[in-house]
Amino acid sequence: MRPHGTGAELERRRRLAVARVRSDYTQQEVADFLGVTARSVQRWIRAYREHGMAGLKAKPHPGPKPKLSPAQERQVLQWFRRSPRAFGFCTELWSASRVTQVIQRKFHKKFHPHYINQWLAERRITPQKPERQARERNEREVRRWLREEWPRIKKSPGVGVHTSF
């Protein structure tokens, strides 16, 4: 069972144990002080004698094996260049739930949508919603109105109105 603390904290504890033993504390005294077993201190001293300070270094924890291969991850990220409609959805909105559904269909692997949200955010893909526009909108008429009408009707601050803070 791995002890509590970050790798850096555990390494610091091992270094402290070695330093104290080298300063003429007994292994049992050091173990009691650090709240570990004398056997642990003995292992750390042996590692120090065999490998020096490098023997006390923290070993990174590899974590669980990824469910998707690097090629599959690249494929998932490519999906965002296409419309969700191409995958059988009725709207243009990608969601974490939809991504999990497509992953399930294509790779037969299950993910929770919350995990997919986090996974996508780490790759700088954030939720996007299409901008809503009225079907009747006429872009040329909007530009003309902004150019000609808006400056004419825009109100300027009235006399005696304090505008700075």
Side-chain angles (χ1 to χ4, degrees), residues 33-130:
F33 174 76
L34 294 174
V36 298
T37 64
R39 177 79 179 109
S40 292
V41 175
Q42 184 180 14
R43 276 195 325 271
W44 300 340
I45 297 298
R46 184 180 332 110
Y48 172 74
R49 286 185 183 138
E50 292 175 6
H51 306 287
M53 284 299 189
L56 304 177
K57 281 202 145 312
K59 295 170 186 74
H61 187 272
K65 183 181 175 215
K67 286 185 179 182
L68 295 177
S69 70
Q72 289 172 326
E73 287 187 10
R74 284 191 301 275
Q75 190 175 352
V76 170
L77 296 175
Q78 293 289 323
W79 296 343
F80 291 97
R81 295 183 177 171
R82 297 171 58 195
S83 165
R85 290 180 189 258
F87 295 88
F89 298 107
C90 60
T91 65
E92 294 292 322
L93 182 63
W94 275 113
S95 66
S97 177
R98 287 181 174 185
V99 175
T100 59
Q101 289 174 41
V102 178
I103 289 173
Q104 173 72 34
R105 266 188 271 157
K106 300 278 186 185
F107 305 128
H108 308 288
K109 300 191 178 176
K110 286 189 175 189
F111 288 95
H112 193 280
H114 290 160
Y115 171 78
I116 291 297
N117 264 337
Q118 176 188 353
W119 185 84
L120 292 171
E122 288 169 1
R123 285 148 185 85
R124 298 188 187 257
I125 296 178
T126 56
Q128 304 293 313
K129 287 191 178 179

Side-chain angles (χ1 to χ4, degrees), residues 3-55:
H4 295 291
T6 66
E9 291 169 345
L10 298 174
E11 181 178 333
R12 189 170 29 87
R13 184 174 6 182
R14 291 188 290 270
R15 289 175 183 263
L16 177 61
V18 168
R20 287 203 163 219
V21 169
R22 292 184 73 203
S23 297
D24 293 330
Y25 286 93
T26 68
Q27 290 183 9
Q28 187 60 55
E29 289 172 328
V30 173
D32 292 342
F33 174 76
L34 294 174
V36 298
T37 64
R39 177 79 179 109
S40 292
V41 175
Q42 184 180 14
R43 276 195 325 271
W44 300 340
I45 297 298
R46 184 180 332 110
Y48 172 74
R49 286 185 183 138
E50 292 175 6
H51 306 287
M53 284 299 189

Side-chain angles (χ1 to χ4, degrees), residues 149-158 163:
E149 301 295 327
W150 176 243
R152 185 178 58 77
I153 61 175
K154 181 179 165 187
K155 290 184 178 180
S156 58
T163 58

